[in-house]
Amino acid sequence: MKIKITETALNPWQEIENYQANKSELSGKFGATNIFIGTMRDFNDGDEVTSMTLEHYSGMTEKQLATIIEKTQQNYAILDVLLIHRVGLLLPNQPIVLIAIWAVHRGDAFDACREIMEALKSSTPFWKKENLTEGSRWVTKNSKGYQT
Amino acid sequence: MKIKITETALNPWQEIENYQANKSELSGKFGATNIFIGTMRDFNDGDEVTSMTLEHYSGMTEKQLATIIEKTQQNYAILDVLLIHRVGLLLPNQPIVLIAIWAVHRGDAFDACREIMEALKSSTPFWKKENLTEGSRWVTKNSKGYQT
Amino acid sequence: MSITVRYFASLREFLNKSEEKLETTTALEIKEVWTQLNPDKVLPENTLMAINMAYVDADQKVQVNDELAFFPPVTGGGG
Amino acid sequence: MSITVRYFASLREFLNKSEEKLETTTALEIKEVWTQLNPDKVLPENTLMAINMAYVDADQKVQVNDELAFFPPVTGGGG
């Protein structure tokens, strides 16, 4: 299991490939991988967003993520978790978060990934500030996750 | 949208990265990517599996996958789909299937990926034959997707 | 004029054939096609059927020049 | 002896401070800490609170040497 908070631009494919390659104990044992990647859009609530600043509560963030993962491991049979979250200045099309779950079976992988993602959004101390073409604004709530 | 059936070993990270890089119209427009990868295990039903032969009904497979994706596009707001499935001889730890969904929102990405995966397993004409340390056997039914 | 008939996976191995043609000038019931081509074999339970690469029920008629396929439950994917 | 108090995101900007210490030799109510440090500001509705990096309710007591944090609803993730 690995949790990483980083100010550096994130290449999710490289991260997953490297992580998996170094986990020899996973080889041949997992049948299902589910991966979620949240990526910065260049629009939100009808406005153009030129960049975003992600603030976090260092220390509590890692603690909260570990708690979320631990709880999910009690709910689903999963083999491994990789979770990386960006902080600092982000540009459109850059990944914000990566969650990868390895499991024997697909249902456990899908459900665990979804549960961790929803818990992360609702309880981990990250805050987004969007920079618009004119001015900036704090994001005050999460979307429900579906096109309306 | 891309559907590919291939006899060649599959690098999912390379495939997704290349596909996304060539889709300039997606840049800045998607907020969520959900990816499922099904990978060959070296065990099944308590036996060691040394390799697997994947047979398919060429032509109907592609047609059925296109129908599944079309139906899912009616149910969820998704921007793009990449689906690759291996056929032929597979070894443990090799990816069998890759499904990647790009959407504005996470719920649409998760649900569409899950729906396509379940529909693929239940209705696309692929068949697995497992080669054991002694002899071989056809897989006769799908797992429900959860550790029992 | 004929119907092309294909068999896949365990059914292909069981029958020891993957494709054959049944000469006919008229539409036939699926069961009739099976019986004519496999007179000594019972169609296994759970066998799936497709005409021209689309799933059909066992009571569907097969037209001349159609491709009819018989196959066991599918097991693709992974996980 | 003191309590460390931290503010994040929009609340940090609203108060124009990110961290301060409140000298005390006894445990205090969270509301008491807020009022002593921000006498002219109402604690915004929906403010979340954590003691030593774990979520707490507003009625929790803050012990000497604890770290107390106030912050708005969280908005991490993406999608």
Side-chain angles (χ1 to χ4, degrees):
Chain A
M1 201 251 283
K2 180 178 161 186
I3 296 171
K4 187 168 91 175
I5 311 295
T6 178
E7 291 196 35
T8 312
L10 163 64
N11 179 327
W13 325 120
Q14 197 69 58
E15 294 279 358
I16 304 169
E17 188 169 16
N18 289 348
Y19 186 77
Q20 190 175 292
N22 289 322
K23 284 273 179 168
S24 55
E25 67 270 31
L26 282 178
S27 181
K29 304 308 170 200
F30 67 99
T33 314
N34 191 255
I35 297 158
F36 178 80
I37 297 161
T39 300
M40 193 193 150
R41 288 184 275 114
D42 61 14
F43 65 96
N44 195 24
D45 281 340
D47 295 303
E48 189 184 334
V49 184
T50 55
S51 68
M52 195 163 77
T53 310
L54 243 154
E55 183 172 334
H56 79 304
Y57 184 175
S58 180
M60 180 167 174
T61 305
E62 292 84 346
K63 196 179 159 188
Q64 189 62 21
L65 290 173
T67 303
I68 289 168
I69 291 171
E70 202 177 310
K71 204 180 152 195
T72 300
Q73 282 170 325
Q74 287 164 14
N75 293 340
Y76 299 102
I78 58 181
L79 299 171
D80 214 325
V81 179
L82 170 65
L83 193 160
I84 305 177
H85 203 294
R86 273 294 306 281
V87 291
L89 184 70
L90 279 90
L91 298 174
N93 212 37
Q94 287 188 339
I96 303 166
V97 62
L98 159 66
I99 304 171
I101 309 286
W102 287 265
V104 176
H105 295 292
R106 66 192 184 283
D108 292 310
F110 269 109
D111 290 354
C113 192
R114 184 73 177 266
E115 182 171 294
I116 291 172
M117 182 57 194
E118 296 301 331
L120 182 156
K121 281 191 86 84
S122 66
S123 75
T124 315
F126 290 110
W127 301 273
K128 288 191 191 111
K129 190 175 193 176
E130 294 176 338
N131 303 307
L132 310 179
T133 43
E134 284 186 25
S136 62
R137 67 184 176 200
W138 289 98
V139 176
T140 56
K141 60 175 170 43
N142 293 317
S143 87
K144 296 202 190 308
Y146 292 88
Q147 190 99 339
T148 45
Chain B
M1 199 253 282
K2 180 178 161 186
I3 296 171
K4 186 168 94 176
I5 310 296
T6 178
E7 291 195 35
T8 312
L10 163 62
N11 180 327
W13 325 118
Q14 197 69 58
E15 294 279 357
I16 303 168
E17 188 169 16
N18 289 348
Y19 186 77
Q20 190 175 292
N22 289 321
K23 284 274 181 167
S24 56
E25 68 271 30
L26 282 179
S27 181
K29 303 309 169 199
F30 67 99
T33 314
N34 190 255
I35 297 158
F36 178 80
I37 298 161
T39 300
M40 193 194 151
R41 288 185 275 115
D42 60 15
F43 64 96
N44 194 24
D45 281 339
D47 295 304
E48 189 184 334
V49 184
T50 55
S51 68
M52 194 165 77
T53 310
L54 243 154
E55 182 171 335
H56 79 304
Y57 184 175
S58 181
M60 180 168 173
T61 305
E62 293 82 347
K63 197 179 160 188
Q64 189 63 19
L65 290 172
T67 302
I68 289 169
I69 291 172
E70 202 176 311
K71 202 180 155 197
T72 301
Q73 282 170 325
Q74 287 164 14
N75 293 341
Y76 299 102
I78 59 181
L79 299 170
D80 213 327
V81 180
L82 170 64
L83 193 161
I84 305 177
H85 204 294
R86 274 294 307 280
V87 291
L89 183 71
L90 279 89
L91 297 174
N93 213 38
Q94 288 189 338
I96 304 166
V97 62
L98 159 67
I99 304 172
I101 309 286
W102 287 266
V104 176
H105 296 292
R106 66 192 184 283
D108 292 310
F110 269 108
D111 290 353
C113 192
R114 184 75 177 265
E115 182 171 294
I116 289 172
M117 183 57 194
E118 296 301 330
L120 182 157
K121 280 191 87 84
S122 67
S123 75
T124 315
F126 290 108
W127 301 274
K128 289 194 191 107
K129 189 177 195 176
E130 295 175 339
N131 303 307
L132 310 179
T133 42
E134 284 187 25
S136 63
R137 66 185 177 201
W138 289 97
V139 176
T140 55
K141 61 176 169 43
N142 293 318
S143 88
K144 296 203 188 308
Y146 292 88
Q147 190 100 339
T148 45
Chain C
M1 304 221 301
S2 65
I3 291 163
T4 301
V5 183
R6 303 182 66 179
Y7 308 98
F8 290 92
S10 56
L11 194 61
R12 171 178 57 71
E13 288 189 349
F14 170 65
L15 300 171
N16 201 27
K17 58 188 176 184
S18 63
E19 185 171 337
E20 59 191 331
K21 282 181 192 294
L22 178 64
E23 299 297 323
T24 179
T25 53
T26 58
L28 296 172
E29 299 275 342
I30 289 181
K31 280 174 210 167
E32 219 176 318
V33 175
W34 176 272
T35 310
Q36 286 202 32
L37 293 171
N38 305 286
D40 57 343
K41 299 269 197 328
V42 177
L43 181 65
E45 246 188 286
N46 296 330
T47 297
L48 300 172
M49 286 149 266
I51 293 176
N52 300 330
M53 301 186 177
Y55 283 105
V56 291
D57 293 326
D59 57 3
Q60 192 89 5
K61 280 223 163 181
V62 195
Q63 306 298 320
V64 173
N65 293 326
D66 276 357
E67 174 170 303
L68 169 64
F70 294 98
F71 48 81
V74 301
T75 57
Chain D
M1 303 219 304
S2 65
I3 292 165
T4 301
V5 183
R6 302 181 66 178
Y7 309 97
F8 290 93
S10 56
L11 193 62
R12 171 179 56 72
E13 288 190 349
F14 170 64
L15 300 171
N16 202 29
K17 57 187 176 187
S18 63
E19 185 171 336
E20 60 191 330
K21 284 181 192 295
L22 179 62
E23 299 297 323
T24 180
T25 52
T26 58
L28 296 172
E29 300 274 344
I30 288 180
K31 279 173 208 165
E32 220 175 317
V33 176
W34 175 273
T35 310
Q36 287 201 33
L37 292 170
N38 304 286
D40 57 342
K41 298 268 198 327
V42 177
L43 180 66
E45 246 189 287
N46 296 328
T47 297
L48 300 172
M49 285 149 270
I51 294 177
N52 300 331
M53 301 185 176
Y55 282 104
V56 292
D57 292 327
D59 57 4
Q60 192 89 6
K61 279 224 164 183
V62 195
Q63 306 297 320
V64 172
N65 294 324
D66 276 358
E67 175 170 303
L68 169 64
F70 295 98
F71 48 82
V74 301
T75 57

